[in-house]
Amino acid sequence: MGIGITPEQRELAAAVRGLLAREVPPEAVRKLLDAPPGAGGGPAHWDGLAAQGLLGVHLPEEYGGGGGGLLDLAVVLEEAARAAL
């Protein structure tokens, strides 16, 4: 059974895909994967993802989130997985 997503969610997916392609090139992902565990804090792109509201897209706006739902989060996570974050 497939999950039907809206045109807005398709636009969200395209926007996230483009952002990640620009902000997190494959060589940056490779560098993170090759780093030893616990080596120096979070990835440099994390703050940019937070600034775009992608880390809280599913949270209510009253708590600082994007006001989306679980399916919106799934769209963002699918694109993050595609970029191998």
Side-chain angles (χ1 to χ4, degrees), residues 52-79:
Q52 293 295 320
L54 297 177
L55 304 182
V57 70
H58 63 296
L59 298 174
E61 290 178 354
E62 62 200 51
Y63 298 114
L70 194 56
L71 190 52
D72 297 313
L73 178 61
V75 167
V76 171
L77 290 176
E78 181 178 27
E79 293 305 324

Side-chain angles (χ1 to χ4, degrees), residues 5-83:
I5 62 173
T6 66
E8 291 82 11
Q9 289 164 331
R10 290 184 198 283
E11 290 175 18
L12 173 62
V16 171
R17 188 178 308 133
L19 173 71
L20 293 176
R22 288 187 308 276
E23 299 292 322
V24 192
E27 56 271 9
V29 174
R30 181 82 259 161
K31 183 178 176 183
L32 289 169
L33 291 173
D34 290 340
H45 59 269
W46 198 255
D47 289 338
L49 298 178
Q52 293 295 320
L54 297 177
L55 304 182
V57 70
H58 63 296
L59 298 174
E61 290 178 354
E62 62 200 51
Y63 298 114
L70 194 56
L71 190 52
D72 297 313
L73 178 61
V75 167
V76 171
L77 290 176
E78 181 178 27
E79 293 305 324
R82 183 187 311 267

